[in-house]
Amino acid sequence: MKKINMADPHFDEDDRKWIHREIDAILDGALSMGPNVRAFENEFAARVGVRHAIAMNSCTSALEAALLAKGVAGREVIIPAETFIATGMAVHLTGGIPVFAEISASSLCLDLEDVKRKVTSRTAGIILVHMAGLLSPEVAEFRRYCDSEGLFLIEDAAHSPGARSAGKEAGSFGHAGCFSFFPTKVITAGEGGMLTTDDDAVASFARSYQNRGRDMEARAEHYLNPGRNVRMTEMSALLGRVQLSHLDEFLGRRRRVAAIYGEALAGAPGMQLLLPDDLECSSFWKVPLLLEPGLDREMIAEHMAAAGIAVDWAYQPALHLQPVFRALYGTSEGLLPRTEELLSRHLCLPCHPRMSDDDAIRVAEAIRTAIEGSARHGLGR
Ligand SMILES: Cc1ncc(COP(=O)(O)O)c(C=O)c1O
């Protein structure tokens, strides 16, 4: 039985041949700060439709660079409690104070109405996470709101390269967009991240920051700001370029899998699949669904594992309930009742380019059976 994983990075035969040849060129030339990094940045900026893309060693570094560029020391940054630890950690480590806000039940993305309630004179800006690949349905409203209130908007687009609405891509709505190329993501570079922006000041700060705060305009080695070395290597950029060249093909496959789930699970009892009407709006890093209250998620995951299919829940616990933030900010259960309730019963189905139509049908049938089994078990108790 073919095992279906949550993620399966894909490099075809031609990619491998090209990579092997280009690695020789790297070994004979620049190992760092060479032509692949520059080309990856240019190709990524063109794809997202922004003036600048700055390649880094991770999305976490890109988030930190964006936050430092906008200046958050001692100020509040509003973030969703439904996100990976890196979003909140970047705020804390750059001297900001994370303020956790609710998500919307239909998108699992940050809820603008709740954000408005949490904005105060101490707020510096907002990080919007395009959760599971879905371009936040409110992203344009977020930008308008931020502009009207003098706040910055950073898009945490770690899950969502190529997600678009009305021809505009994730990473082009905010003052900065931050992408991840970790192996489980939509495209990978082994490790790596990209900061996208149309803001010249953010771009020039980020370039300097990733070179230990160096003045990148001066010939002499002058350092203007505190900075780090968070550059991307040539090897990673090479992988990233190959993957980016397949982005549309990968997205086509992911959207096809999502469409099959949509058809096969329409009206399925015990669950609500969270699919946007327009599949272009998501890069479908994963396909989330909400289980009906009372169903046993662990039991459903065990049933799926027995059928050779991985499922997971991203993320649990909610960010404000992670031990580190409980300890730092005194946050606890009940702070965000809606988010806590939604995250207790959400589940993600696998979605990636190595899944065939038959694989998607197999997953849909297995999740139906698993949910029926859990419902029967619940009734029998
Ligand atoms: C929403 C989100 N933000 C940020 C990150 C951090 O990415 P990286 O591992 O490239 O630092 C991740 C990684 O999983 C993520 O899912």
Side-chain angles (χ1 to χ4, degrees), residues 80-87 103 108 129-133 156 158-159 180 182 184-185 285-286 288 297 312-319 321-322 339-340 342-348:
E82 157 68 322
T83 183
F84 185 56
I85 189 73
T87 319
I103 52 169
L108 305 184
V129 178
H130 300 312
M131 189 58 209
D156 182 335
H159 306 164
S180 173
F182 186 69
T184 56
K185 296 300 191 299
W285 177 52
K286 302 179 184 214
R297 186 167 61 175
D312 67 10
W313 26 95
Y315 294 91
Q316 178 86 11
L319 206 59
L321 300 180
Q322 287 289 355
T339 300
E340 291 165 28
L342 290 169
L343 296 195
S344 72
R345 58 188 181 89
H346 85 303
L347 181 142
C348 298

Side-chain angles (χ1 to χ4, degrees), residues 343-374:
L343 296 195
S344 72
R345 58 188 181 89
H346 85 303
L347 181 142
C348 298
L349 299 178
C351 186
H352 54 75
R354 294 179 90 160
M355 287 179 65
S356 66
D357 288 9
D358 286 347
D359 292 338
I361 292 165
R362 198 177 121 206
V363 172
E365 283 169 359
I367 193 76
R368 258 185 195 268
T369 313
I371 289 174
E372 277 164 21
S374 169

Side-chain angles (χ1 to χ4, degrees), residues 302-350:
E302 275 168 31
H303 177 103
M304 297 298 279
I309 299 165
V311 295
D312 67 10
W313 26 95
Y315 294 91
Q316 178 86 11
L319 206 59
H320 64 293
L321 300 180
Q322 287 289 355
V324 59
F325 292 130
R326 286 176 187 263
L328 284 167
Y329 299 105
T331 45
S332 58
E333 280 83 1
L335 179 69
L336 298 172
R338 190 199 314 158
T339 300
E340 291 165 28
E341 196 276 329
L342 290 169
L343 296 195
S344 72
R345 58 188 181 89
H346 85 303
L347 181 142
C348 298
L349 299 178

Side-chain angles (χ1 to χ4, degrees), residues 45-381:
R47 169 70 207 219
V48 172
V50 289
R51 283 210 304 283
H52 311 280
I54 296 118
M56 299 204 175
N57 63 348
S58 69
C59 179
T60 307
S61 297
L63 286 167
E64 289 180 2
L67 288 161
L68 287 169
K70 296 313 277 182
V72 294
R75 313 269 323 269
E76 294 179 354
V77 180
I78 301 181
I79 58 176
E82 157 68 322
T83 183
F84 185 56
I85 189 73
T87 319
M89 200 65 92
V91 173
H92 177 76
L93 289 177
T94 53
I97 301 157
V99 172
F100 306 96
E102 296 273 25
I103 52 169
S104 128
S106 57
S107 66
L108 305 184
C109 295
L110 195 56
D111 175 7
L112 181 54
E113 280 313 306
D114 194 51
V115 167
K116 287 182 183 171
R117 281 192 285 273
K118 293 190 161 116
V119 167
T120 69
S121 57
R122 296 180 299 278
T123 311
I126 296 167
I127 303 182
L128 189 54
V129 178
H130 300 312
M131 189 58 209
L134 176 66
L135 183 70
S136 163
E138 296 185 298
V139 64
E141 282 96 323
F142 265 102
R143 180 62 200 251
R144 275 195 292 277
Y145 175 70
C146 285
D147 286 348
S148 73
E149 299 298 313
L151 305 173
F152 67 72
L153 178 67
I154 295 174
E155 296 172 73
D156 182 335
H159 306 164
S160 57
R164 60 178 165 247
S165 172
K168 223 169 134 46
E169 294 224 343
S172 68
F173 290 86
H175 296 93
C178 301
F179 293 83
S180 173
F181 306 125
F182 186 69
T184 56
K185 296 300 191 299
V186 172
I187 55 172
T188 183
E191 292 277 2
M194 192 73 80
L195 186 157
T196 54
T197 185
D198 268 328
D199 182 325
D200 295 342
V202 170
S204 105
F205 178 90
R207 284 230 175 273
S208 164
Y209 171 75
Q210 70 163 188
N211 286 287
R212 304 178 200 83
R214 185 169 174 171
D215 181 350
M216 302 305 284
E217 306 299 321
R219 287 188 62 197
E221 267 205 50
H222 287 163
Y223 292 87
L224 302 173
N225 304 296
R228 297 190 186 280
N229 174 356
V230 290
R231 294 187 296 256
M232 178 178 277
T233 66
E234 278 288 291
M235 295 282 194
S236 289
L238 181 65
L239 302 188
R241 289 185 67 201
V242 175
Q243 291 263 297
L244 181 60
S245 73
H246 292 296
L247 179 58
D248 283 323
E249 191 189 307
F250 290 172
L251 291 175
R253 193 70 229 148
R254 285 173 181 272
R255 287 173 181 146
R256 170 85 185 138
V257 169
I260 291 173
Y261 288 162
E263 265 176 43
L265 294 171
M271 56 159 286
Q272 180 201 350
L273 202 58
L274 298 180
L275 281 187
D277 292 339
D278 177 2
L279 299 188
E280 296 276 307
C281 293
S282 182
S283 55
F284 294 107
W285 177 52
K286 302 179 184 214
V287 177
L289 58 83
L290 291 172
L291 296 169
E292 260 175 23
L295 291 177
D296 184 338
R297 186 167 61 175
E298 297 285 348
M299 186 179 157
I300 291 169
E302 275 168 31
H303 177 103
M304 297 298 279
I309 299 165
V311 295
D312 67 10
W313 26 95
Y315 294 91
Q316 178 86 11
L319 206 59
H320 64 293
L321 300 180
Q322 287 289 355
V324 59
F325 292 130
R326 286 176 187 263
L328 284 167
Y329 299 105
T331 45
S332 58
E333 280 83 1
L335 179 69
L336 298 172
R338 190 199 314 158
T339 300
E340 291 165 28
E341 196 276 329
L342 290 169
L343 296 195
S344 72
R345 58 188 181 89
H346 85 303
L347 181 142
C348 298
L349 299 178
C351 186
H352 54 75
R354 294 179 90 160
M355 287 179 65
S356 66
D357 288 9
D358 286 347
D359 292 338
I361 292 165
R362 198 177 121 206
V363 172
E365 283 169 359
I367 193 76
R368 258 185 195 268
T369 313
I371 289 174
E372 277 164 21
S374 169
R376 268 201 308 277
H377 187 256
L379 286 175
R381 262 191 299 204

